[in-house]
Amino acid sequence: MARPGVGVAGKLAVVDNMGARTVRRPVIELKAVTREFKVGTQLVRALNGIDLTIDRGEMVAIIGPSGSGKSTLMNTLGCLDTPSSGSFFLNGHDVSRLSDDQLAETRSRQLGFVFQSYNLLPRETALSNVELPLKYSGGYSARARKEAARKALDRVGLAERYDHRPLQLSGGEQQRVGIARALVQNPDLILADEPTGNLDTKSSQEVITMLKSLNEDDGKTIVIVTHDPEVADATKRIVAFRDGLIIEDRMVNGSPRRSLNQDEVRS
Amino acid sequence: MNFGLLFTTALGSLSSNKLRASLTLLGIVIGVSSVIAMMAVGRGAQVSVTSRISELGTDLITVRPGAQALRFAFFGGGGNSDVVSLGDALSLDDEVFSPNARVIAPENSFSGTATFGRENTFVNGVGVTAEYIEARNLKIASGRNISNIDVQNDSLVAVLGSATSEALFGQRDSVGSTIKISNREFTVVGVLKSQQGTIFNPDNSVLIPITTAYYRMNNGKGPRESISVSAINILAKSEKVVDAARLEISTVLRLNHELDADEEDDFLITTQQDTIETLEGTQGTFVILLGSIAGISLLVGGIGVMNIMLVSVTERTREIGIRRAVGAKRRDILLQFVTEAVMMTFGGGVLGVVAGWAIAHFGNGATVSGDVIETVIEAQIAVLALAVSVAVGLFFGIYPAVRAASLNPIEALRHE
Ligand SMILES: Nc1ncnc2c1ncn2[C@@H]1O[C@H](COP(=O)(O)OP(=O)(O)OP(=O)(O)O)[C@@H](O)[C@H]1O
Ligand SMILES: [Mg+2]
């Protein structure tokens, strides 16, 4: 990805001078991120100063009551929204310095977004839905696009469903098409906002198994927003939200996360 | 997104609501086809007028008296100024001063009633010399022309237009018969060929010697040179020297009329080219008027496109959100909607050109309340109509497309 003026090496060097905690940059680094919405004359703070670091290969669940700011966080991570203040580095790049076009390119190449309501184009087949990000990132022949889309659909176990339209698929299958679309550009990061929210237990299970496999077998970094404790427990790390703040950040095996403790000490 | 993808994406969206797209397209089809048909009718009228004038010969130059002659220029009537005389006509027949003038034919008009037995008919009388029929491109069907001997003798002889002859004599040959024109007896010496359909139709006329017309019909006095004429028809030696001839004529007449350098001409010289230009100008206004009326329907069609595109943007807000979320730039969305609009208007333009061409083609020669409609289809108009329909798509599609492109992706995704 071309990002004039935002050299990765330069950023790394700055961090290194400060005494880097890690050799590799984390996939996600949020510092004091806030997001405010103006509703009439009132100011709603959906994010109230979030510090969060997610390393490559992690699988994180974001939990919390309704309205606590989980989706707002995910939209920010997904480069669909930008913070009101604070900083957000994605793969070491300062997202706040990206233009609208560069944000679009980042969405298409560096991450995959999975939605609660699938968000597939209803008139298009599974295959052409999965192709969509490739059409916008350009540089692919029609054949290469189809090939990549087939591979992604095969990966999520939908080899038999290429030409089905969304309404001809079950909810679980639709969500797997959604995952295939997120995978098609082979990004390192998958963001899923309540991916099982509309699914029954069995389909939920399938989707979670799929995401888990992507994390464990393909090494993808995965962030899932969920209300389902079972889903949360299937991940490696749980971040709990309330009122736009992180109130808990722990590993699923019980140990608290170190970096949070450091952050707490600092603040 | 490259152009091919943009095209297939737009086509896909349009075909998902075929009825709507077709109705929108129909608006453009009606607009474009009426522009094409109207322009074809307008141009047809223009071309037929031009060709009728050209039949008279583009080497024809006409001199009329006075500025007031302007008013009569297109009606064939004569001014009542006595500024241009037979003497002027005679002096133009000069190899030295006006070498480019070939045939000089003065004329003097009068009107009256011609009678034979119990038959009578209204005639356009023209006092002429022998040169008249050559200058006006007329042909003798039977008998002979007015000769310059007739002119010298103020003879009571007449050449009848074909319609005049037919009104008085039916199918019989009128040559040799005696008719009365305004109570004077004339011997018919010839009949003109019918020239129906030409712009200056001579069929209702009667030609008599110019001297006879002046001294006997109008009771004029004085020497021949002083006979006032309503026009002098002059043929230039060729079409190329019309302008040179015109200059010579003007010089000779100014000398004759003893005009000072600062005085304006007291005569008016018109060439066929002038007449064609003036009439084409008038007809051009007519074409523009027809075209604008048709253009309004194209405008209405364009507004229809805009309306549908706005509805479409609202309906497809979520789709826009999805596309943006997976990497579409604002420009991609903008181009997608503009492409859809332009595809509709261009498609409508193509069908409209075909329909308009068909209307013009099959309407050619049709009769509407007695008038035969001629149509001329011009390729430029078709190309222009297509260009305009694309422009309409761009113009009316851009606003809805900008609206679509400026949607916030998150809000668009939340849209139901
Ligand atoms: N576009 C917006 N305009 C105004 N307020 C907003 C907007 N988006 C979110 N909010 C507010 O921000 C807060 C957090 O919303 P968010 O959608 O992030 O919650 P959530 O944790 O995802 O909830 P849920 O579990 O119900 O999905 C809420 O109070 C919400 O009303
Ligand atoms: Mg939410």
Side-chain angles (χ1 to χ4, degrees):
Chain A
M1 235 189 77
R3 286 229 195 94
V6 192
V8 183
K11 282 285 164 196
L12 269 172
V14 170
V15 173
D16 286 343
N17 290 345
M18 286 162 63
R21 287 168 304 202
T22 49
V23 181
R24 288 173 81 193
R25 287 295 298 255
V27 178
I28 289 165
E29 279 180 289
L30 297 178
K31 288 217 183 67
V33 164
T34 67
R35 179 70 172 100
E36 292 166 346
F37 295 103
K38 242 202 182 120
V39 181
T41 54
Q42 228 181 333
L43 214 59
V44 178
R45 277 211 152 181
L47 298 178
N48 208 351
I50 301 290
D51 296 307
L52 180 65
T53 304
I54 296 175
D55 287 324
R56 208 163 298 274
E58 282 202 88
M59 183 163 181
V60 183
I62 311 269
I63 60 169
S66 185
S68 57
K70 305 183 297 293
S71 292
T72 307
L73 175 79
M74 290 300 266
N75 290 339
T76 306
L77 298 183
C79 297
L80 286 161
D81 198 5
T82 43
S84 304
S85 70
S87 67
F88 168 32
F89 284 82
L90 178 67
N91 291 322
H93 299 292
D94 187 352
V95 172
S96 69
R97 292 173 64 169
L98 299 185
S99 70
D100 204 72
D101 280 4
Q102 287 171 327
L103 284 175
E105 220 164 288
T106 307
R107 287 199 289 274
S108 120
R109 288 176 198 257
Q110 304 224 332
L111 55 90
F113 209 108
V114 179
F115 303 89
Q116 177 176 359
S117 49
Y118 326 130
N119 276 335
L120 303 174
L121 296 178
R123 287 189 309 266
E124 309 277 347
T125 62
L127 196 71
S128 87
N129 263 294
V130 176
E131 267 185 71
L132 196 61
L134 300 176
K135 289 183 177 173
Y136 288 112
S137 65
Y140 294 84
S141 70
R143 264 200 33 212
R145 280 203 311 269
K146 289 223 160 30
E147 191 50 48
R150 280 199 205 98
K151 227 175 99 190
L153 281 169
D154 293 352
R155 178 68 185 82
V156 298
L158 287 177
E160 310 294 306
R161 300 282 188 273
Y162 292 161
D163 296 324
H164 287 236
R165 281 164 216 286
L167 285 179
Q168 300 165 331
L169 295 169
S170 75
E173 286 169 331
Q174 286 186 60
Q175 192 56 295
R176 280 190 281 156
V177 174
I179 294 171
R181 183 177 62 191
L183 281 177
V184 73
Q185 301 243 58
N186 200 23
D188 287 333
L189 175 63
I190 305 278
L191 303 169
D193 191 351
E194 300 193 40
T196 60
N198 288 5
L199 299 178
D200 60 24
T201 321
K202 187 171 160 286
S203 300
S204 290
Q205 206 68 71
E206 282 171 14
V207 165
I208 287 310
T209 309
M210 176 59 54
L211 290 171
K212 237 183 129 123
S213 149
L214 286 171
N215 174 251
E216 282 165 7
D217 304 335
D218 298 12
K220 309 262 181 227
T221 311
I222 295 182
V223 182
I224 309 172
V225 169
T226 186
H227 283 289
D228 185 345
E230 265 185 60
V231 172
D233 285 338
T235 67
K236 297 172 181 166
R237 175 183 168 194
I238 295 175
V239 175
F241 264 67
R242 183 180 292 154
D243 299 331
L245 279 168
I246 295 176
I247 52 159
E248 192 189 7
D249 186 348
R250 63 178 173 87
M251 303 310 280
V252 172
N253 62 21
S255 64
R257 191 175 151 80
R258 218 165 8 118
S259 63
L260 180 72
N261 289 345
Q262 286 183 344
D263 287 345
E264 277 175 346
V265 169
R266 239 184 259 151
S267 57
Chain B
M1 233 186 196
N2 66 37
F3 185 75
L5 270 176
L6 213 55
F7 184 81
T8 45
T9 305
L11 197 65
S13 305
L14 290 178
S15 58
S16 73
N17 205 331
K18 289 193 186 69
L19 181 63
R20 180 194 283 182
S22 322
L23 289 175
T24 313
L25 199 114
L26 186 63
I28 300 293
V29 171
I30 291 171
V32 170
S33 61
S34 53
V35 167
I36 298 279
M38 289 294 199
M39 296 303 257
V41 169
R43 279 298 286 154
Q46 209 171 13
V47 167
S48 77
V49 163
T50 306
S51 73
R52 283 185 205 178
I53 294 169
S54 303
E55 277 167 22
L56 272 179
T58 42
D59 50 352
L60 178 64
I61 302 166
T62 311
V63 178
R64 289 173 201 280
Q68 80 205 59
L70 193 58
R71 245 186 298 141
F72 297 99
F74 303 125
F75 304 101
N80 41 19
S81 161
D82 54 0
V83 166
V84 178
S85 67
L86 196 56
D88 288 328
L90 293 173
S91 66
L92 284 172
D93 190 5
D94 189 314
E95 267 304 315
V96 177
F97 285 100
S98 50
N100 286 313
R102 183 161 67 91
V103 174
I104 291 126
E107 66 171 272
N108 206 338
S109 52
F110 64 95
S111 53
T113 312
T115 344
F116 178 74
R118 271 170 311 178
E119 306 295 336
N120 65 71
T121 183
F122 182 82
V123 294
N124 298 318
V126 193
V128 301
T129 62
E131 290 80 13
Y132 183 78
I133 65 165
E134 187 181 356
R136 301 305 290 257
N137 204 12
L138 306 177
K139 300 274 174 314
I140 299 288
S142 67
R144 65 168 178 89
N145 183 17
I146 302 279
S147 74
N148 281 336
I149 310 281
D150 297 329
V151 176
Q152 242 156 46
N153 299 338
D154 316 346
S155 307
L156 290 164
V157 293
V159 171
L160 305 186
S162 60
T164 310
S165 173
E166 199 177 322
L168 298 178
F169 297 93
Q171 295 307 316
R172 283 169 294 156
D173 189 6
S174 53
V175 176
S177 308
T178 303
I179 60 164
K180 276 188 173 170
I181 303 170
S182 304
N183 294 320
R184 271 171 215 279
E185 291 196 339
F186 283 81
T187 307
V188 178
V189 296
V191 179
L192 295 174
K193 228 186 213 163
S194 170
Q195 300 217 343
Q196 207 178 14
T198 57
I199 194 151
F200 300 117
N201 189 342
D203 293 1
N204 284 318
S205 63
V206 168
L207 311 184
I208 62 171
I210 191 165
T211 46
T212 316
Y214 183 73
Y215 293 119
R216 305 206 185 201
M217 307 303 284
N218 291 343
N219 294 317
K221 300 274 181 296
R224 306 209 154 198
E225 289 69 34
S226 71
I227 292 178
S228 66
V229 299
S230 51
I232 307 173
N233 303 288
I234 301 144
L235 292 188
K237 285 221 165 108
S238 78
E239 209 175 303
K240 287 192 198 97
V241 299
V242 166
D243 285 333
R246 174 192 205 139
L247 202 66
E248 294 160 11
I249 293 162
S250 168
T251 312
V252 170
L253 294 185
R254 286 185 68 89
L255 277 172
N256 284 357
H257 297 182
E258 295 169 355
L259 295 176
D260 291 337
D262 58 344
E263 281 180 291
E264 285 189 20
D265 291 350
D266 56 0
F267 51 87
L268 188 83
I269 305 176
T270 340
T271 63
Q272 280 306 90
Q273 213 47 52
D274 296 339
T275 314
I276 288 170
E277 271 165 26
T278 313
L279 275 173
E280 275 189 343
T282 320
Q283 295 284 322
T285 315
F286 176 62
V287 172
I288 288 166
L289 186 73
L290 283 180
S292 349
I293 292 169
I296 287 170
S297 64
L298 189 56
L299 188 74
V300 172
I303 292 169
V305 169
M306 181 149 164
N307 192 21
I308 283 304
M309 291 310 294
L310 284 172
V311 171
S312 173
V313 169
T314 308
E315 280 180 356
R316 287 156 62 193
T317 300
R318 199 187 175 97
E319 175 195 324
I320 294 163
I322 294 171
R323 289 180 185 277
R324 292 277 276 137
V326 302
K329 302 180 171 109
R330 283 180 198 278
R331 185 184 27 181
D332 293 321
I333 302 297
L334 183 90
L335 286 178
Q336 182 188 337
F337 279 87
V338 168
T339 306
E340 281 180 32
V342 170
M343 273 171 73
M344 277 198 284
T345 59
F346 183 74
V350 170
L351 292 178
V353 166
V354 171
W357 180 86
I359 292 167
H361 182 74
F362 294 111
N364 193 11
T367 323
V368 174
S369 56
D371 291 325
V372 177
I373 293 181
E374 285 180 53
T375 59
V376 171
I377 304 155
E378 286 177 316
Q380 309 96 282
I381 297 288
V383 172
L384 189 72
L386 283 183
V388 166
S389 63
V390 169
V392 163
L394 283 175
F395 183 80
F396 289 103
I398 202 94
Y399 174 68
V402 165
R403 286 246 304 230
S406 58
L407 285 172
N408 175 317
I410 301 169
E411 275 161 32
L413 280 171
R414 230 183 257 143
H415 196 267
E416 282 312 314

